[in-house]
Amino acid sequence: MKKDLLDILDLSREDIDTLIRTAENIIADPDAYAEKCRRKKLATLFYEPSTRTRLSFESAMLELGGQVVGFSDAGSSSVAKGESVADTAKTVECFADIIAMRHFKEGAPRVAAQNVSIPVINAGDGGHNHPTQTLADLLTIQREKGGFENLTVGFCGDLKFGRTVHSLIAAMSRYKGLNVVLISPEELKLPSYVKNDVLKKNDIPYVQTTDLESVIGELDILYMTRVQRERFFSEEEYLRLKDSYILTPDKLQNAKKDLAILHPLPRVNEISVAIDDDPRACYFKQVRNGKYIRMALILKLLGVD
């Protein structure tokens, strides 16, 4: 396994299997891991707002017996004075054993990793990649479906800017029998480079549609996403597209009884709260699974048995 995790494809299938096994062991016996990172420090460098990802990393390190330093608002750090990502990373390396970085600019965590000797985890960089969310998604799919092969997965909503979508498609492209259904407005279609470099390159069958209800009955997994205001240059365009897809109980009438509904969160209104009690709703399970898989990742990157 590489020193850093910057892209989900940094991980082999064997790496992912190992992380999932470790996470399952943590879930089964959390007390056995309670002191594994004693005297270790995680630095959370969050240049962009986050609730789940930041708290998940912090909770993961604390439950391993480690400590957390860092910032959740770049405006309260030396970044506000113009300090570069490289210099911030070099400084933080003096205080911490591992870094988790979220940044609004694609490639920023890679810059940090190139300038420090401690492990760097990409906690989301712009619209590019979000590998630890993908690991949370994969652990959830493993626990709900028992594996990753022979699944029909629908991705719905903002497929253009949705870094979680791009990462999960890349990760699942390495498993047999994957079928992909892309559901979005024309303006928010999956980028051509993802289709060419991942789907077409790996001969993965896919269809594109603007109509969720016409395909929902085929799906084993429905991965909902919000339309992200922060990725739009035009407020008018965001307002026009933000309610393109709203999942309600009536739209699930033709869905499979064992459909797994995932969402990286935060939710705005694209999934009705009336679905929260449906046994097919897995998005809050994803949040909990995210803590366990990040615990497993921290252990592996720090070389802790």
Side-chain angles (χ1 to χ4, degrees):
M1 193 166 179
K2 294 185 178 181
K3 175 181 77 72
D4 309 298
L5 178 57
L6 305 175
D7 187 297
I8 193 64
L9 294 181
D10 288 345
L11 302 175
S12 66
R13 283 184 54 171
E14 291 73 22
D15 290 331
I16 290 172
D17 290 344
T18 298
L19 289 170
I20 287 175
R21 276 197 306 274
T22 302
E24 296 271 24
N25 290 339
I26 293 169
I27 292 168
D29 187 9
D31 289 346
Y33 294 83
E35 295 294 325
K36 290 285 189 179
C37 285
R38 186 172 177 270
R39 299 184 67 83
K40 299 288 187 181
K41 294 185 181 70
L42 166 72
T44 53
L45 310 184
F46 277 64
Y47 292 75
E48 195 176 51
S50 169
T51 302
R52 270 149 300 279
T53 304
R54 181 174 59 82
L55 294 181
S56 182
F57 269 110
E58 293 182 0
S59 296
M61 193 57 164
L62 292 172
E63 292 204 17
L64 291 169
Q67 297 172 292
V68 179
V69 297
F71 57 81
S72 59
D73 177 7
S76 65
S77 73
S78 289
V79 174
K81 302 174 183 177
E83 184 173 59
S84 68
V85 166
D87 280 2
T88 297
K90 288 177 184 178
T91 301
V92 169
E93 183 180 21
C94 299
F95 311 129
D97 302 285
I98 186 170
I99 292 171
M101 175 184 285
R102 167 165 289 190
H103 205 286
F104 51 85
K105 187 174 291 185
E106 289 85 350
R110 187 173 299 278
V111 171
Q114 290 169 345
N115 283 277
V116 298
S117 59
I118 63 174
V120 174
I121 301 170
N122 179 2
D125 61 333
H128 175 233
N129 215 312
H130 196 350
T132 63
Q133 177 62 53
T134 301
L135 289 173
D137 300 339
L138 291 172
L139 178 57
T140 304
I141 292 169
Q142 173 68 40
R143 291 176 67 79
E144 297 299 317
K145 294 296 181 182
F148 308 115
E149 295 188 350
N150 302 313
L151 294 173
T152 297
V153 184
F155 296 90
C156 181
D158 180 1
L159 309 189
K160 180 178 180 179
F161 299 108
R163 59 192 171 196
T164 60
V165 170
H166 305 167
S167 291
L168 185 55
I169 289 175
M172 295 197 70
S173 69
R174 295 180 289 186
Y175 296 91
K176 295 178 181 178
L178 176 66
N179 289 283
V180 172
V181 182
L182 304 170
I183 309 146
S184 72
E186 289 293 327
E187 297 90 340
L188 296 175
K189 289 168 69 173
L190 191 73
S192 295
Y193 77 87
V194 181
K195 285 184 279 191
N196 294 331
D197 296 348
V198 180
L199 296 176
K200 292 179 181 179
K201 182 179 179 180
N202 292 287
D203 296 319
I204 296 169
Y206 72 93
V207 297
Q208 297 183 103
T209 181
T210 58
D211 184 3
L212 171 60
E213 290 176 81
S214 68
V215 295
I216 197 167
E218 307 167 18
L219 306 179
D220 299 302
I221 297 167
L222 173 58
Y223 197 94
M224 294 292 296
T225 65
R226 70 185 171 95
V227 176
Q228 303 173 83
R229 172 184 254 129
E230 63 269 28
R231 306 294 175 213
F232 280 84
F233 294 109
S234 164
E235 180 74 5
E236 182 181 354
E237 186 179 16
Y238 164 73
L239 292 173
R240 182 171 62 83
L241 295 172
K242 72 181 181 72
D243 293 330
S244 296
Y245 300 98
I246 300 175
L247 188 64
T248 54
D250 60 293
K251 292 180 181 175
L252 288 175
Q253 288 182 359
N254 296 322
K256 293 181 179 180
K257 298 300 181 187
D258 63 346
L259 172 70
I261 304 168
L262 276 65
H263 190 308
L265 301 179
R267 163 178 61 183
V268 181
N269 66 344
E270 59 277 359
I271 298 179
S272 166
V273 294
I275 290 174
D276 291 357
D277 293 328
D278 190 303
R280 293 170 288 190
C282 297
Y283 28 93
F284 290 111
K285 293 180 183 179
Q286 277 172 274
V287 177
R288 187 172 297 277
N289 289 333
K291 178 185 69 174
Y292 295 124
I293 202 71
R294 289 182 177 100
M295 290 172 73
L297 179 63
I298 289 167
L299 290 170
K300 290 299 180 186
L301 291 180
L302 288 176
V304 176
D305 295 326

